[in-house]
Amino acid sequence: MTVNDDSFTNWKIREEIAESMIPLIGKLHRERDVTVLLHSRSLVNKSVVSILKTHRFARQIAGAELSVTETMPFLQALTALDLGPSQIDLGMLATTYKADDRGLSVAEFTAEAVAGATGADKIERREPRDVVLYGFGRIGRLVARLLIEKAGSGNGLRLRAIVVRGGGAQDIVKRASLLRRDSIHGQFQGTITVDEDSSTIVANGNAIKVIYADDPSHVDYTEYGIRDAILIDNTGKWRDREGLSQHLRPGIEKVVLTAPGKGDVPNIVHGVNHDTIKPDEQILSCASCTTNAIVPPLKAMDDEYGVLRGHVETVHSFTNDQNLLDNYHKSERRGRSAPLNMVITETGAASAVAKALPDLKAKISGSSIRVPVPDVSIAILNLQLARETTREEVHDYLREVSLTSPLKRQIDFITAPDAVSSDFIGSRHASIVDAGALKVDGDNAILYLWYDNEFGYSCQVVRVVQHVSGVEYPTYPAPAV
């Protein structure tokens, strides 16, 4: 048998194993509200090829072999357990099992590693929490996709309504079309139908009421059967507590802003300071996409090396706030054509660091350049550290952070030497460390951090909403602290 024959045979074997994993993953998700992950990447509703590619990518970043032949026994062991709602990482199970020298079987080790999600220790399923989207632009539609995707188990968050201004004839049809097809993020995974008479979009069986209103004071959400909902404001029109408080109408309990908050509105970066949210806090912000991209790696670097000062330069994709062609704009430079120019502009990300990381004493400055790409940005984080180190040490440290730390859902890591911005469209991480671009000289470190400023940020928003709604389930094995 030739090498080619061996490779093809091996592929077919792994393909068959991945195919047999799909119903097990689906059953755990639907019946027990368990999300199966592989190094923080969900395997729910993934194709055979996608499962294999996820395993392949995990092998690349972990620096060690990991295939479906290794993870399948752990998945089978999970199906035999009395699991409660949770997230379980097959990659972490396989990796920690290799390092364990007690001679336990896969079933014994798995039962021990996920003990907190079984038997008397498991948490009970919670009632779905109503969610309302106020505004339905780029972030609103991506958050909608994520909420619909996560409704598959029938628990957790439930998108009940979208509030928009009336747009004329066939408004709801056009909005549904924008949800169905996206020039950057591709087709919606599922089916979408429209009932114009009842002003409802039905996406994968989820009935979503479209409410037309010119301002928050015109809506009583209880009229639509909505109770104790979390409202996500995607408009950015109001950023302080007074303005956002207008959303606290009948049926709405909390308001989450998808833009930097002003005044005393808490700016939350999931993974870093989400556990500081007070239970009675009704208004909070998810900060900006760039803040979410830089704060987790900044925290990781400060925890290990100490950060004395830093500067972040973001090379950012253009946004709807800019003009397609030269025209009047209230801001400097942003009136010039976005797809034809690099545009120097300001970023509030550096100043927002203090809200998310109040213990960080380092001064962080920042600026931004908008460039002619429609999505995915890169933040260049230039840090003066409290001690000298080497490129190899920082490289290995950040890789380990991306795999095993509490920040592994926020920080990803890539070693591909030919990676470019479009490779990160659809990334669910807040930022991705580009290992090849990393520079370290004594006490100076320069990190290049890719981030999908639309989808990755939307994932962070949903994580915050899950946390404040009480449906953010624990992850096993527990990340190393």
Side-chain angles (χ1 to χ4, degrees), residues 9 13 28 49 72 208 241 245 248 306 328 358 440-441 454 481:
T9 300
I13 291 171
L28 284 170
V49 172
M72 181 58 165
I208 306 162
R241 188 172 296 275
S245 293
L248 295 173
Y328 171 79
V440 180
D441 183 8
E454 294 186 337
V481 178

Side-chain angles (χ1 to χ4, degrees), residues 6 10 22 31-32 46 62 248 307 329 339 350 397 436 441:
D6 283 342
N10 180 261
I22 292 174
E31 296 183 3
R32 307 187 196 179
K46 294 296 187 290
L248 295 173
V307 174
H329 196 291
Y397 169 67
D441 183 8

Side-chain angles (χ1 to χ4, degrees), residues 12 21 37 44 164 177 227 260 277 305 337 340 391 400:
K12 298 303 288 184
M21 294 175 86
L37 311 172
V44 176
V164 293
S177 180
R227 300 285 188 277
I277 302 172
Y305 302 101
S337 172
L340 296 179
R391 184 184 184 281
E400 193 63 26

Side-chain angles (χ1 to χ4, degrees), residues 117-396:
T118 61
D121 293 327
K122 70 181 181 182
I123 61 177
E124 297 301 321
R125 286 190 178 193
R126 301 186 174 108
E127 287 297 313
R129 186 67 176 270
D130 290 352
V131 178
V132 173
L133 296 179
Y134 197 95
F136 205 49
R138 298 299 300 154
I139 300 302
R141 292 194 296 274
L142 291 177
V143 169
R145 285 188 174 201
L146 286 164
L147 292 173
I148 294 163
E149 170 193 299
K150 293 179 182 299
S153 63
N155 292 274
L157 303 174
R158 181 173 58 178
L159 178 57
R160 295 293 308 280
I162 297 162
V163 185
V164 293
R165 293 178 179 174
Q170 291 199 306
D171 179 275
I172 190 172
V173 173
K174 293 175 181 178
R175 293 185 190 278
S177 180
L178 286 169
L179 179 62
R180 185 181 292 114
R181 302 179 186 88
D182 190 285
S183 300
I184 296 170
H185 300 283
Q187 300 245 357
F188 174 80
Q189 297 300 304
T191 62
I192 294 176
T193 58
V194 175
D195 185 335
E196 289 189 75
D197 292 336
S198 64
S199 190
T200 302
I201 296 173
V202 181
N204 290 357
N206 295 267
I208 306 162
K209 181 72 175 180
V210 178
I211 301 170
Y212 293 99
D214 292 331
D215 68 69
S217 64
H218 293 171
V219 189
D220 180 343
Y221 295 95
T222 60
E223 293 180 359
Y224 306 97
I226 296 170
R227 300 285 188 277
D228 302 323
I230 297 174
L231 182 144
I232 305 174
D233 184 325
N234 306 292
T235 68
K237 183 176 180 180
W238 305 279
R239 298 195 179 190
D240 59 12
R241 188 172 296 275
E242 181 182 0
L244 292 168
S245 293
Q246 297 177 79
H247 289 303
L248 295 173
R249 301 281 299 154
I252 303 298
E253 185 182 9
K254 294 180 184 290
V255 179
V256 175
L257 172 66
T258 61
K262 295 182 178 180
D264 66 342
V265 175
N267 279 254
I268 303 301
V269 175
H270 191 275
V272 175
N273 68 335
H274 66 277
D275 57 354
T276 66
I277 302 172
K278 298 176 181 177
D280 60 350
E281 179 61 75
Q282 288 189 287
I283 295 173
L284 55 93
S285 156
C286 289
S288 71
C289 56
T290 302
T291 303
N292 277 263
I294 66 172
V295 164
L298 183 56
K299 175 178 171 23
M301 292 297 289
D302 187 53
D303 286 348
E304 180 67 18
Y305 302 101
V307 174
L308 301 181
R309 66 174 294 114
H311 176 81
V312 60
E313 190 77 35
T314 72
V315 182
H316 198 291
S317 60
F318 63 79
T319 70
N320 274 331
D321 179 59
Q322 296 170 258
N323 293 332
L324 284 175
L325 295 172
D326 290 5
N327 204 356
Y328 171 79
H329 196 291
K330 64 181 181 180
S331 298
E332 300 290 341
R333 306 186 200 243
R334 291 196 188 191
R336 301 300 297 277
S337 172
L340 296 179
N341 294 288
M342 292 189 291
V343 178
I344 298 174
T345 186
E346 71 283 347
T347 176
S351 59
V353 167
K355 278 193 169 185
L357 284 174
D359 293 336
L360 181 71
K361 304 306 179 186
K363 179 182 178 182
I364 306 295
S365 58
S367 53
S368 177
I369 303 172
R370 297 286 179 92
V371 294
V373 294
D375 186 30
V376 180
S377 305
I378 188 167
I380 305 166
L381 191 57
N382 193 332
L383 304 175
Q384 181 186 354
L385 307 177
R387 68 175 175 89
E388 293 193 353
T389 182
T390 65
R391 184 184 184 281
E392 291 73 21
E393 183 186 345
V394 175
H395 175 282
D396 292 347

